[in-house]
Amino acid sequence: MSDDYKPVLRAGSDPLVFFKYPGADSEGEVARGHIMAAVMSHALRDGDVVVMGANSLIPLAAARLAQLTHAPNLTILAGASGGVNTLVEPLAPSSGDYANLIAEAVLDFPEVLMLQMGGRTDVFFAGGLQIDKQGNCNLAFTGNVSGQVTLRGPGSAGLPWAMRSGRAIVYVTSHTRKTFVEAVDFVSLPGATAEWEQGSWGGPEMVVTPLCVMDLTKQGEMRLVSLHPGVTLEDVLENTGFDLALPEEAAPITALPSPEELRILRELDPDALLVAVV
Amino acid sequence: MSDDYKPVLRAGSDPLVFFKYPGADSEGEVARGHIMAAVMSHALRDGDVVVMGANSLIPLAAARLAQLTHAPNLTILAGASGGVNTLVEPLAPSSGDYANLIAEAVLDFPEVLMLQMGGRTDVFFAGGLQIDKQGNCNLAFTGNVSGQVTLRGPGSAGLPWAMRSGRAIVYVTSHTRKTFVEAVDFVSLPGATAEWEQGSWGGPEMVVTPLCVMDLTKQGEMRLVSLHPGVTLEDVLENTGFDLALPEEAAPITALPSPEELRILRELDPDALLVAVV
Amino acid sequence: MAENRTTKALDIETAVSTLVPDVTESLWVGGMHMHNVPMALVRECIRQGKRFKTLYAAPSASLAADLLIGAGLVDHVVCGYIGFEHLGLAPAFRRAAEEDASIQITEADSGSLVLALQAGAWGQPFAVLPPGIEQTSLVKQSPSFYRQVEDPFNGTARFVVEAVRPTLALIHCQQADQFGNGIFKGSRFADRFLGLAADRVIMQVEGLVDNGQVLKYPLQTGLPGFRAAAVVQVNFGCHPTSSHRYYNYDDVHLRLYLQAAATEEGFRSYLDEYVLQPVDQEDYMRRVQNQDWGAITGEVP
Amino acid sequence: MAENRTTKALDIETAVSTLVPDVTESLWVGGMHMHNVPMALVRECIRQGKRFKTLYAAPSASLAADLLIGAGLVDHVVCGYIGFEHLGLAPAFRRAAEEDASIQITEADSGSLVLALQAGAWGQPFAVLPPGIEQTSLVKQSPSFYRQVEDPFNGTARFVVEAVRPTLALIHCQQADQFGNGIFKGSRFADRFLGLAADRVIMQVEGLVDNGQVLKYPLQTGLPGFRAAAVVQVNFGCHPTSSHRYYNYDDVHLRLYLQAAATEEGFRSYLDEYVLQPVDQEDYMRRVQNQDWGAITGEVP
């Protein structure tokens, strides 16, 4: 969203009339946000119960896209709003937006946490200030051993419980050496734990960035899966602060969204937030 | 309610149209149920949050009577229904009745338990299969030491948490030696505990029966407070299975409801359930 | 929603035969006292001879528990409350407890059981109880249910109960869409909570509504669809208990049950007449002769 | 209800001056992210210089926490999340954590904090956490917050957190009657729960409705009146956060705040201009110049 975009407060409205964002050019380029949403969508399965937290623009688009294509029985728990199966009309930047209440049900937020921590979800979307080779994510703070905090993040929020929420899909909107580090300064979300390796807990299944798609090997090391169009292996390695494992053969190019997927993503997103977000 | 009373199922209705019970003679006698309701009402204070469980016909009438007379800021939590400040129009025999949803709010029942156990209520109404000299109540079972169950009751329900719910008002609709025993076979509701004597916990404050009103001495022994009209001290002692403490002077006669109180009780209770219940 | 979304609407016989194992680890039935109890589902379970190793009876179980216990389909009951409120005690439960020892009873209380269910729902291994329970007979009666830990914040001994995750919950909503989005038109009792907590939920409803109506009023949805394994539409499915806004409980029939079930023979003939013999809910309704069913089939908004 | 029932409707200045102690033990503010945060109450607390020994920041605190921390009114924050979602990090909180050590921070997580609040509401002394937390850095970072007990059912070590009963909760409902029966017109976030749990609740609303309307639609009451100590009517009281059905969040103003508060001087001048100087909410609204307030004062059904 551009900085000179000036929304006004929304007037009182009935539940089926929502805040309108200014329209964007739906004939424009395929953006990184579109590619990331489509990749995440493909990782979702029919019947999955998918939960997301704050700042979940791309995951929300991905989950709704999956619902409208290959996963009609997927359930979306739209973060702070408590909305269940929001129609995502339109895609809104804040997880607690009223737009997410064009939905089938609205849970109290403690109930969302309960379902997540109680193991009633299949997929959890997560991010972090730092992500390391083992898939650990840090949303608390960075700092050195003497206790000096160099960057105070928001806090660990719901990340500690990702392993109870099924497959974690980790995503970031910037791929740099500051984000992808050898070892996080603080573990908010445990990555490749022993329990994950044994298959008894969930854990990071996929990592999606503006440059590429990664996963974890069985040994719990982050590995390149595919490069987004126009991105080279060098781009990724230069911007990754640890030795990234590589696939046995040359990494393929991440598939673009199909024309139908792109049409749906643009329809859900009249303000082209997916273009602006990355 | 007489046995040949035959209600039909209630048709679908809007929230302000309720099931009508056949009317009763509002000019009839002052019943024991009226006296018990008025006595309990007098024990309630303005601002009290009052919670009741199953089978709470008399407590519900008492709480609403208090609200309409001396305690306009009293709050009623009407048991299973979850209704908060039900208008009691009309008084219904089951705590979960839809009539109790003519109210200001409807809580989920776990929330009612939470408020009760969390100490957010001031008065709790309780009963029992057996009640003993120390005010202990038993709603589980009676039986002998060898483990043989002689009367299986419903179970302890919410009674174990009475001491967390403020002042307990104990009531029964039959006063016999089977009910008032030397020592209960099973403690569902702890009566005069050490914590109660020290004032750090709630506990039984008043016991109301069809014959009399009782309380607990500071030493935690049940004591006669007043005799209902027409009841003699001998009636009470013959029907009480332990040595009942007596007041220093002769026990007074329980005050009858005032004409205004009686009018209100009869208005709330078109089916005269308060006449039938005792 | 996509047109190829799978419906969860099933007929009651199919729902019970396919979704309830012949021997189910544990069961928790929704409703309280004579309200919102999914009796049609319970009768169908009995008809199909489903067995339940453990029945959780709280906050306030009544006819469903008494029938299941009387029919001999329950091995173990964890009891917070089983009774009929102002109408009396539970006759089959009484007989099981007073006369034979065929059933194992764990004496518990409704508060602790709801906290155990809540712990299960959150994935907590156990729930700590507020102080006070140590003053009751419960902790001596049920030492394996009520255990102790030391409070790490102040060293006090605390009683705790193990988390409960029921294998199966049977729940009544007044309405739902075919995807299981359930609507309570009156009290939710502990049913929303139970529906969020249990491993598998079968939902009984008076009527199916369009998904569009659910989308229009999402704040009234009591249970989100993904928690329901199946939705079963049954007319008067809670009878003889009530369904708020639809019909009151039938106290004539409840009294008939209590009178019959006072003896083992009476219980058997009630079970035969109203549970085992009826081929379906319509047949059941024909056998209940004190109701003018036609007078109360009006639609509820 | 009886005509002599006491109203809980108070003007905001009176509510805060009489119901918020000058030094309050602990505070929990409702809403999440840029939604449903009772900002007018928070600004009034700052204006009156109320101090809070502990601030619980969860599930998702934002502007309220950042202003209170920046204004130096919080001694200790228990942090699950303080941030501005897609708009960025919390500048005053960052400064407090990165540059000075004037504030004590207990590193926690939103799940554990909500469970601690739940334990407090039920009178449970502490809450047991699901397994997994031991794999995070939290248990090492905050050893007095996360403690251990032995599971009496299987001997496993479990982490637990002490129950939290906030002394004061500030909550926004879209509507309420004068007796404190609050109505959420959109998401309830954790606010119903918080309102049932806290020792004292002050409720801010967009509009007062008649008690008769509450009685007509009791199922829509989000918080029963007895839990509210006072009800305060304020126009646009959540601004710059949203109030569902009434208005969206004002991201222009939120960005203005984030930009200003990036420096200590900028924070001070924002605080002065928008919190300390305004004599009332109308004055505050006049100072917010990017909004056409008149266009959005329409009544909401």
Side-chain angles (χ1 to χ4, degrees):
Chain A
M1 211 154 30
S2 66
D3 264 327
D4 55 13
Y5 161 57
K6 299 257 185 297
V8 290
L9 298 184
R10 179 177 51 205
S13 58
D14 80 60
L16 292 175
V17 178
F18 39 75
F19 185 49
K20 290 278 185 203
Y21 293 87
D25 180 9
S26 65
E27 301 301 311
E29 53 168 352
V30 179
R32 293 279 157 92
H34 294 139
I35 295 171
M36 292 172 70
V39 164
M40 292 180 191
S41 170
H42 300 157
L44 302 177
R45 304 172 196 156
D46 199 22
D48 275 348
V49 178
V50 173
V51 64
M52 51 200 73
N55 207 1
S56 291
L57 192 67
I58 305 176
L60 187 54
R64 182 64 177 140
L65 175 61
Q67 239 179 14
L68 291 169
T69 53
H70 66 283
N73 298 296
L74 180 146
T75 297
I76 301 172
L77 304 184
S81 71
V84 182
N85 285 340
T86 165
L87 297 186
V88 191
E89 292 178 358
L91 190 60
S94 170
S95 61
D97 203 279
Y98 184 68
N100 288 342
L101 297 201
I102 320 297
E104 290 187 338
V106 183
L107 296 171
D108 285 27
F109 190 73
E111 295 172 327
V112 176
L113 275 174
M114 180 176 91
L115 289 162
Q116 181 201 328
M117 293 167 70
R120 300 304 187 186
T121 60
D122 301 294
V123 179
F124 177 77
F125 283 100
L129 300 170
Q130 291 182 322
I131 299 161
D132 70 18
K133 199 171 176 176
Q134 279 73 47
N136 298 302
C137 298
N138 171 15
L139 200 58
F141 60 82
T142 64
N144 55 35
V145 282
S146 69
Q148 172 60 38
V149 172
T150 51
L151 177 65
R152 176 65 235 190
S156 296
L159 263 58
W161 309 105
M163 83 288 273
R164 303 190 51 80
S165 321
R167 291 129 53 207
I169 298 182
V170 178
Y171 65 101
V172 287
T173 53
S174 98
H175 186 144
T176 68
R177 282 179 171 257
K178 276 180 99 170
T179 312
F180 286 94
V181 298
E182 183 69 34
V184 294
D185 294 349
F186 191 97
V187 178
S188 297
L189 181 156
T193 59
E195 291 83 354
W196 172 84
E197 286 180 26
Q198 293 152 18
S200 56
W201 276 2
E205 181 185 70
M206 174 186 258
V207 182
V208 184
T209 82
L211 300 184
C212 64
V213 179
M214 297 175 282
D215 66 3
L216 292 187
T217 64
K218 282 188 186 167
Q219 291 72 41
E221 291 197 5
M222 202 170 291
R223 172 176 60 186
L224 182 64
V225 170
S226 68
L227 297 164
H228 295 343
V231 177
T232 66
L233 179 59
E234 286 65 41
D235 292 338
V236 171
L237 297 180
E238 267 172 30
N239 289 289
T240 303
F242 54 82
D243 279 344
L244 183 65
L246 298 177
E248 292 191 10
E249 309 200 0
I253 296 174
T254 310
L256 286 175
S258 72
E260 170 71 358
E261 288 174 330
L262 208 52
R263 181 189 66 72
I264 292 171
L265 287 173
R266 283 174 169 148
E267 237 177 69
L268 296 176
D269 181 26
D271 196 36
L273 302 173
L274 290 172
V275 178
V277 71
V278 182
Chain B
M1 211 156 27
S2 67
D3 264 328
D4 56 11
Y5 161 57
K6 298 258 187 296
V8 289
L9 299 185
R10 178 176 53 205
S13 58
D14 79 62
L16 291 176
V17 178
F18 39 75
F19 186 49
K20 292 278 183 200
Y21 293 87
D25 180 9
S26 65
E27 301 300 313
E29 53 167 353
V30 177
R32 294 276 158 95
H34 294 139
I35 294 170
M36 292 173 70
V39 164
M40 292 181 193
S41 170
H42 300 157
L44 302 178
R45 305 172 195 157
D46 198 22
D48 275 349
V49 178
V50 174
V51 63
M52 50 200 73
N55 207 1
S56 292
L57 192 66
I58 304 175
L60 186 56
R64 182 64 178 141
L65 175 61
Q67 239 178 14
L68 291 168
T69 54
H70 66 282
N73 298 296
L74 179 145
T75 298
I76 302 173
L77 303 183
S81 71
V84 181
N85 285 342
T86 167
L87 298 186
V88 192
E89 292 178 358
L91 191 60
S94 170
S95 60
D97 202 279
Y98 184 69
N100 288 342
L101 298 202
I102 318 296
E104 290 187 336
V106 184
L107 296 170
D108 285 27
F109 190 73
E111 295 173 327
V112 176
L113 275 174
M114 181 176 90
L115 289 162
Q116 181 201 329
M117 293 165 70
R120 299 303 187 187
T121 61
D122 301 295
V123 179
F124 178 78
F125 284 100
L129 299 170
Q130 290 180 324
I131 298 161
D132 69 18
K133 199 173 178 176
Q134 279 73 44
N136 298 303
C137 299
N138 172 14
L139 199 59
F141 58 83
T142 65
N144 55 35
V145 283
S146 70
Q148 173 60 38
V149 173
T150 51
L151 177 65
R152 174 66 236 191
S156 295
L159 264 59
W161 308 106
M163 83 287 275
R164 303 190 52 80
S165 322
R167 292 127 54 206
I169 300 183
V170 178
Y171 65 102
V172 288
T173 53
S174 100
H175 188 145
T176 68
R177 282 177 172 260
K178 276 179 98 169
T179 310
F180 287 94
V181 297
E182 181 70 34
V184 294
D185 294 350
F186 192 96
V187 179
S188 297
L189 181 156
T193 59
E195 290 83 355
W196 171 84
E197 285 180 27
Q198 292 151 18
S200 55
W201 277 1
E205 180 185 72
M206 172 185 260
V207 182
V208 185
T209 83
L211 300 184
C212 66
V213 180
M214 298 175 283
D215 66 3
L216 292 188
T217 64
K218 281 187 187 169
Q219 291 71 42
E221 290 196 7
M222 204 170 289
R223 169 176 61 186
L224 182 65
V225 170
S226 70
L227 296 163
H228 295 344
V231 178
T232 65
L233 180 59
E234 288 63 39
D235 292 336
V236 171
L237 297 180
E238 268 172 30
N239 288 289
T240 303
F242 54 81
D243 279 346
L244 184 64
L246 297 177
E248 292 192 7
E249 308 201 357
I253 295 174
T254 310
L256 286 175
S258 72
E260 170 70 358
E261 288 174 328
L262 208 51
R263 181 191 64 74
I264 292 171
L265 287 173
R266 284 173 171 149
E267 237 176 69
L268 296 176
D269 182 25
D271 195 37
L273 301 172
L274 289 170
V275 179
V277 71
V278 182
Chain C
M1 289 294 126
E3 284 133 35
N4 44 352
R5 192 171 172 191
T6 313
T7 187
K8 292 182 174 183
L10 289 181
D11 69 86
I12 190 166
E13 199 180 334
T14 308
V16 169
S17 67
T18 59
L19 293 169
V20 182
D22 288 343
V23 180
T24 298
E25 203 56 41
S26 62
L27 171 68
W28 198 309
V29 181
M32 282 181 74
H33 299 298
M34 49 276 287
H35 305 283
N36 223 49
V37 188
M39 288 307 306
L41 278 172
V42 171
R43 285 190 290 264
E44 185 63 33
C45 286
I46 297 174
R47 215 172 279 136
Q48 294 191 21
K50 302 294 185 183
R51 296 191 62 83
F52 303 95
K53 287 194 188 170
T54 298
L55 173 70
Y56 294 102
S60 301
S62 62
L63 182 60
D66 209 49
L67 279 178
L68 286 162
I69 290 167
L73 296 172
V74 175
D75 297 334
H76 173 208
V77 59
V78 184
C79 179
Y81 179 102
I82 307 176
F84 287 77
E85 208 178 358
H86 58 293
L87 299 179
L89 301 175
F93 178 47
R94 279 193 63 181
R95 202 155 36 246
E98 296 168 18
E99 291 174 24
D100 63 57
S102 59
I103 189 170
Q104 184 197 344
I105 299 171
T106 294
E107 202 68 38
D109 73 281
S110 299
S112 299
L113 271 169
V114 169
L115 281 175
L117 181 62
Q118 177 167 278
W122 280 90
Q124 298 172 284
F126 55 91
V128 191
L129 301 180
I133 194 76
E134 66 278 7
Q135 302 274 357
T136 69
S137 302
L138 286 162
V139 299
K140 274 169 238 122
Q141 182 76 13
S142 307
S144 64
F145 185 78
Y146 298 96
R147 306 243 184 138
Q148 270 187 298
V149 300
E150 189 185 295
D151 187 327
F153 297 93
N154 61 17
T156 312
R158 307 291 191 185
F159 277 93
V160 302
V161 294
E162 199 169 13
V164 165
R165 275 172 98 100
T167 317
L168 178 67
L170 305 177
I171 283 175
H172 177 79
C173 287
Q174 276 73 20
Q175 303 173 336
D177 69 7
Q178 61 169 326
F179 306 120
N181 291 297
I183 298 164
F184 297 100
K185 286 292 194 182
S187 295
R188 302 199 299 199
F189 302 103
D191 296 355
R192 173 187 176 104
F193 188 61
L194 175 59
L196 291 174
D199 279 344
R200 178 174 289 171
V201 177
I202 303 181
M203 183 189 288
Q204 171 193 292
V205 298
E206 299 293 335
L208 287 168
V209 298
D210 200 78
N211 178 249
Q213 187 173 333
V214 168
L215 281 165
K216 199 166 175 196
Y217 304 110
L219 296 180
Q220 81 167 347
T221 304
L223 195 66
F226 74 96
R227 295 298 302 143
V231 181
V232 168
Q233 189 280 322
V234 191
N235 292 325
F236 298 102
C238 292
H239 183 274
T241 72
S242 88
S243 176
H244 281 177
R245 297 289 293 282
Y246 275 79
Y247 46 87
N248 208 338
Y249 58 93
D250 183 346
D251 71 352
V252 173
H253 188 85
L254 285 168
R255 285 166 201 264
L256 177 151
Y257 169 75
L258 293 174
Q259 206 161 6
T263 65
E264 175 66 20
E265 300 67 36
F267 177 85
R268 289 286 147 200
S269 66
Y270 178 92
L271 195 70
D272 200 53
E273 175 67 15
Y274 294 102
V275 181
L276 301 176
Q277 288 296 329
V279 293
D280 56 20
Q281 175 75 358
E282 265 185 59
D283 190 7
Y284 168 81
M285 285 164 62
R286 269 192 297 275
R287 289 160 190 259
V288 175
Q289 290 177 9
N290 61 298
Q291 289 300 335
D292 178 10
W293 300 102
I296 43 171
T297 48
E299 281 295 298
V300 165
Chain D
M1 289 291 127
E3 285 133 37
N4 45 353
R5 191 171 173 192
T6 312
T7 186
K8 294 183 175 182
L10 289 181
D11 70 87
I12 189 166
E13 200 179 332
T14 309
V16 169
S17 66
T18 58
L19 293 168
V20 183
D22 288 341
V23 180
T24 297
E25 203 57 40
S26 63
L27 171 68
W28 198 309
V29 182
M32 281 181 74
H33 298 298
M34 47 278 288
H35 305 283
N36 223 48
V37 187
M39 287 308 307
L41 279 171
V42 171
R43 284 189 291 265
E44 186 62 33
C45 285
I46 296 174
R47 214 172 281 135
Q48 295 191 20
K50 302 295 186 183
R51 297 192 60 84
F52 303 95
K53 287 194 189 169
T54 298
L55 172 70
Y56 293 102
S60 300
S62 61
L63 182 59
D66 210 49
L67 280 178
L68 287 161
I69 290 168
L73 296 172
V74 174
D75 298 333
H76 173 207
V77 58
V78 185
C79 178
Y81 179 104
I82 307 177
F84 287 78
E85 208 179 359
H86 59 292
L87 299 179
L89 301 176
F93 179 45
R94 277 193 64 181
R95 204 157 32 248
E98 295 168 19
E99 291 173 25
D100 65 55
S102 59
I103 187 169
Q104 184 196 344
I105 300 171
T106 294
E107 202 67 40
D109 73 281
S110 299
S112 299
L113 271 168
V114 169
L115 281 174
L117 181 63
Q118 177 167 279
W122 280 90
Q124 297 172 285
F126 56 90
V128 192
L129 301 180
I133 195 76
E134 66 279 6
Q135 302 274 355
T136 70
S137 302
L138 287 161
V139 298
K140 275 168 240 126
Q141 181 78 14
S142 307
S144 64
F145 185 78
Y146 299 96
R147 306 242 186 140
Q148 272 185 299
V149 300
E150 189 185 297
D151 186 327
F153 297 94
N154 61 18
T156 311
R158 306 291 191 185
F159 277 93
V160 302
V161 293
E162 198 168 14
V164 166
R165 274 171 98 101
T167 318
L168 178 67
L170 304 177
I171 284 175
H172 176 79
C173 286
Q174 276 73 22
Q175 303 173 336
D177 69 8
Q178 62 168 324
F179 305 121
N181 292 296
I183 298 165
F184 297 100
K185 285 293 193 182
S187 294
R188 303 198 300 199
F189 302 104
D191 296 354
R192 174 188 176 103
F193 188 60
L194 175 59
L196 292 173
D199 280 344
R200 177 174 289 173
V201 176
I202 304 182
M203 184 189 289
Q204 168 194 294
V205 299
E206 299 293 334
L208 288 166
V209 299
D210 200 78
N211 180 250
Q213 187 174 331
V214 169
L215 282 164
K216 199 166 174 197
Y217 303 110
L219 295 180
Q220 83 167 346
T221 304
L223 194 65
F226 75 96
R227 295 298 301 141
V231 181
V232 167
Q233 191 277 323
V234 191
N235 292 326
F236 297 102
C238 291
H239 184 274
T241 74
S242 88
S243 176
H244 281 178
R245 297 290 293 281
Y246 276 78
Y247 46 87
N248 207 337
Y249 58 93
D250 184 347
D251 69 353
V252 172
H253 189 86
L254 284 168
R255 284 167 202 264
L256 178 151
Y257 170 75
L258 293 175
Q259 207 162 5
T263 65
E264 175 66 21
E265 300 67 37
F267 177 84
R268 288 288 147 200
S269 66
Y270 178 93
L271 195 71
D272 200 54
E273 174 68 16
Y274 294 104
V275 182
L276 301 176
Q277 289 297 328
V279 295
D280 57 17
Q281 175 76 357
E282 265 184 60
D283 192 7
Y284 167 81
M285 284 165 62
R286 270 192 296 275
R287 289 160 189 258
V288 175
Q289 290 177 10
N290 62 299
Q291 288 300 337
D292 178 10
W293 300 103
I296 43 171
T297 49
E299 282 293 298
V300 166

